[in-house]
Amino acid sequence: MNLSQWSWIVLSTLIGFYITMLIAGYAASRRLKTGLREFYVAGGRLSALTIVFHYMATYMEAWEFVGMPAVIVSEGFEWWVMEMIFYLSFVALFPLVSLRIYRAAKLHNYVTPTDLIVHRVGGFEKPLRILISLMIFYATIIYIGMIYIPAAGVLSASTGGEIPYQAFLAIYVIFMIIYLLMGGFRAAAYANIISGVAFIVAFIAMIYATLTYWGGFSNLAWTAYTSEIAPQVFQKTQPTQYFLTMLLVYGLSWLFIPHLVTAFYASKDSKAVLVGGLGSNAGFFLGAFVSPLLLGLGILALFGSNLPEIEVVEGYVPLLFIQLFGYGPILILIIIGLIAITRSTIDTMLLLASSIVDVDIIEKALGLKISERSRKMVTNIVVIAVALISILPALNPEAPMVIIGYELAWPAYAVIAWPTMIMLLWPRANKYGGFACYLAGFASLLLFTYIIWPEAPHNPFGLWEGTLPSLTAVATLIIVSLLTPPPSKQFVESYYGLNKQ
């Protein structure tokens, strides 16, 4: 392979980073006790500090730090604005919902998000587990695939395209699988501590560039706003109803995102949940608000209409840092931060998919009795299979990762989240409404997206893509529950009494 010295350095940096991750995985495996609850949710014993970094790393991920700046440039500044407004509807309700989920999880030893849903619905356990598993799998594969895009795109752009996007995609997936299989959720949480530190390096570098290269934020913003392509970037193209439905439907669905719910399960105590929530706020402010704003404006100000040619638009971010800092030690540290950012969510989502197949389908839906060793083998196979299947959306992406997420992945999460949150707060919801709402929501999602309205936003009203399926699910829950017998008094007192303890 005839590569430049810098390309070899980038490749070596990736390998060195994952060797460090493997050490974290090995350390986790040494502490890994027997039992799949330990593998999937660290036995529910992770400290507040570990949970804080886990939450922060989740927000300081490829979506915000790499994907959002690229979308600002390629699709328009309004997408950053829409991403920010959902936070207003999320943060106030976080303590209420997270503590309710945490208390139920501790009392009933939940392992998967489906455990909580099935327990609250109170019936149709086996078919419901299979249905929810299919819904989560659908969203998870799309989500992992879209994060692969910046993971490989950042590294390929860093080498100037000398090492192809597809080559880095393969290397990245292989290392992810190996280190995750070694230590389960504990390995992912430990690795997020390392990733959080690495992120801070990249974030400080951008603050430094803003102050020294442009002389402050106001100069940076003005340079970007007066660039040649500013009229294309700073314009409103989406209807007002799209903004409003993103604020409500997309924003509140963040309160029950499956791979974050398992972090509630893994928390040692309620303090870890609440402190972790503060970490998520800090992570969101740095990773979702400040970072993409500075990076997106930086790309506009530096390149203007002379945007470099790249395989995927997420490659703009490393090229910005190369222009600002040149090739050297500082850039290597920044690349480490970018590598860390792109892997901070994939690992927990792979574990989520594995736990769903193992616990929800094999053990509880199908009732298969197999040994602990055989189940561990199944989990390994599932992690490998999902990691490989998720490559498909990333092989030849037709849109930026953020747009793929808004259009395809997040609508599926919203269809799960909305009826679940209502059932947590509404005792009258019964098993008939519970099962029917998920079935109707998922069926309508698939119909609207792929058959009835195959063009985005998959409805004729200009609403966010997940709005109609979520409303269908909620309406079905309420109507069917009211038309059928209520849950037994014993069930209501037992379930809601637990959550008030």
Side-chain angles (χ1 to χ4, degrees):
M1 186 181 295
N2 188 19
L3 298 177
S4 66
Q5 182 181 15
W6 177 250
S7 293
W8 280 112
I9 291 174
V10 172
L11 183 60
S12 300
T13 301
L14 175 65
I15 295 172
F17 176 85
Y18 269 103
I19 288 175
T20 305
M21 295 297 100
L22 289 174
I23 293 173
Y26 176 75
S29 68
R30 298 287 293 178
R31 297 191 63 181
L32 193 65
K33 303 180 186 300
T34 59
L36 292 170
R37 177 170 169 78
E38 168 67 27
F39 183 80
Y40 290 126
V41 293
R45 293 189 299 274
L46 292 184
S47 67
L49 179 63
T50 304
I51 292 294
V52 164
F53 274 101
H54 179 71
Y55 278 133
M56 289 181 70
T58 297
Y59 285 105
M60 299 170 183
E61 60 157 348
W63 174 279
E64 306 292 3
F65 198 83
V66 181
M68 191 54 66
V71 164
I72 289 175
V73 177
S74 66
E75 307 297 322
F77 188 76
E78 64 181 343
W79 292 99
W80 177 83
V81 175
M82 285 189 284
E83 177 73 2
M84 294 308 100
I85 60 175
F86 96 81
Y87 189 59
L88 300 175
S89 60
F90 162 76
V91 67
L93 292 175
F94 179 87
L96 172 66
V97 176
S98 63
L99 287 177
R100 178 157 293 199
I101 293 172
Y102 164 79
R103 289 166 183 162
K106 287 299 178 184
L107 287 164
H108 297 283
N109 292 320
Y110 295 156
V111 174
T112 71
T114 312
D115 286 338
L116 182 147
I117 293 173
V118 169
H119 180 206
R120 173 57 191 91
V121 170
F124 308 110
E125 177 176 356
K126 292 184 178 180
L128 182 58
R129 283 190 183 275
I130 294 175
L131 174 60
I132 299 297
S133 298
L134 290 175
M135 296 172 70
I136 295 177
F137 253 88
Y138 168 82
T140 299
I141 288 174
I142 295 173
Y143 199 99
I144 293 174
M146 74 185 191
I147 297 180
Y148 282 164
I149 297 171
V154 160
L155 294 167
S156 179
S158 298
T159 67
E162 281 192 5
I163 302 178
Y165 167 84
Q166 286 78 9
F168 271 122
L169 181 61
I171 296 171
Y172 184 90
V173 173
I174 291 171
F175 273 109
M176 179 68 68
I177 291 171
I178 293 173
Y179 106 85
L180 192 58
L181 292 181
M182 291 184 63
F185 191 97
R186 195 179 292 275
Y190 287 178
N192 280 342
I193 296 177
I194 300 171
S195 297
V197 174
F199 168 85
I200 292 173
V201 173
F203 178 74
I204 291 174
M206 192 58 213
I207 297 292
Y208 175 81
T210 301
L211 296 174
T212 59
Y213 190 89
W214 283 287
F217 176 77
S218 60
N219 290 336
L220 167 62
W222 180 250
T223 304
Y225 189 72
T226 56
S227 63
E228 299 91 334
I229 61 171
Q232 304 169 32
V233 173
F234 297 99
Q235 63 173 326
K236 181 176 178 292
T237 62
Q238 297 297 324
T240 302
Q241 60 267 32
Y242 195 93
F243 282 81
L244 294 177
T245 49
M246 278 210 57
L247 170 65
L248 296 174
V249 185
Y250 168 71
L252 290 177
S253 69
W254 269 85
L255 292 167
F256 194 87
I257 298 302
H259 65 278
L260 292 182
V261 168
T262 55
F264 301 149
Y265 297 177
S267 300
K268 181 179 180 180
D269 48 35
S270 58
K271 175 185 174 183
V273 175
L274 293 177
V275 173
L278 294 177
S280 74
N281 294 338
F284 187 92
F285 179 74
L286 296 177
F289 185 85
V290 179
S291 300
L293 178 61
L294 295 180
L295 290 167
L297 294 178
I299 295 169
L300 290 172
L302 188 64
F303 295 114
S305 60
N306 299 313
L307 292 169
E309 293 186 7
I310 46 178
E311 292 187 74
V312 293
V313 296
E314 288 77 10
Y316 289 143
V317 173
L319 293 182
L320 171 66
F321 283 118
I322 289 173
Q323 291 294 317
L324 292 176
F325 296 100
Y327 298 97
I330 294 178
L331 185 59
I332 293 174
L333 290 176
I334 293 172
I335 289 176
I336 292 173
L338 294 176
I339 295 170
I341 289 161
T342 57
R343 58 132 296 277
S344 62
T345 299
I346 294 177
D347 43 21
T348 50
M349 298 191 80
L350 285 172
L351 282 175
L352 171 65
S354 176
S355 67
I356 287 172
V357 170
D358 178 28
V359 178
D360 290 322
I361 296 179
I362 293 178
E363 178 186 345
K364 296 183 178 179
L366 301 180
L368 300 179
K369 303 296 183 181
I370 58 177
S371 66
E372 187 83 6
R373 181 177 180 181
S374 297
R375 292 180 66 180
K376 185 65 167 63
M377 184 181 299
V378 170
T379 63
N380 291 345
I381 293 172
V382 171
V383 167
I384 295 171
V386 173
L388 295 178
I389 294 171
S390 298
I391 292 175
L392 295 177
L395 283 177
N396 295 292
E398 298 180 357
M401 66 162 292
V402 170
I403 302 302
I404 295 173
Y406 285 149
E407 181 182 348
L408 299 176
W410 285 107
Y413 288 135
V415 168
I416 299 171
W418 269 96
T420 301
M421 290 188 295
I422 290 174
M423 284 190 289
L424 286 174
L425 302 172
W426 187 41
R428 180 61 177 80
N430 64 16
K431 62 182 180 181
Y432 306 104
F435 182 78
C437 74
Y438 294 111
L439 182 60
F442 191 41
S444 64
L445 173 68
L446 297 178
L447 286 172
F448 296 160
T449 303
Y450 299 105
I451 298 177
I452 300 177
W453 298 299
E455 297 294 327
H458 308 299
N459 66 80
F461 311 111
L463 307 175
W464 174 61
E465 285 84 349
T467 304
L468 290 187
S470 298
L471 291 177
T472 300
V474 170
T476 302
L477 171 65
I478 295 173
I479 293 171
V480 174
S481 293
L482 293 176
L483 293 177
T484 52
S488 68
K489 183 178 179 181
Q490 181 181 5
F491 174 82
V492 171
E493 291 178 350
S494 172
Y495 185 87
Y496 289 96
L498 294 176
N499 288 295
K500 293 176 182 177
Q501 288 181 1

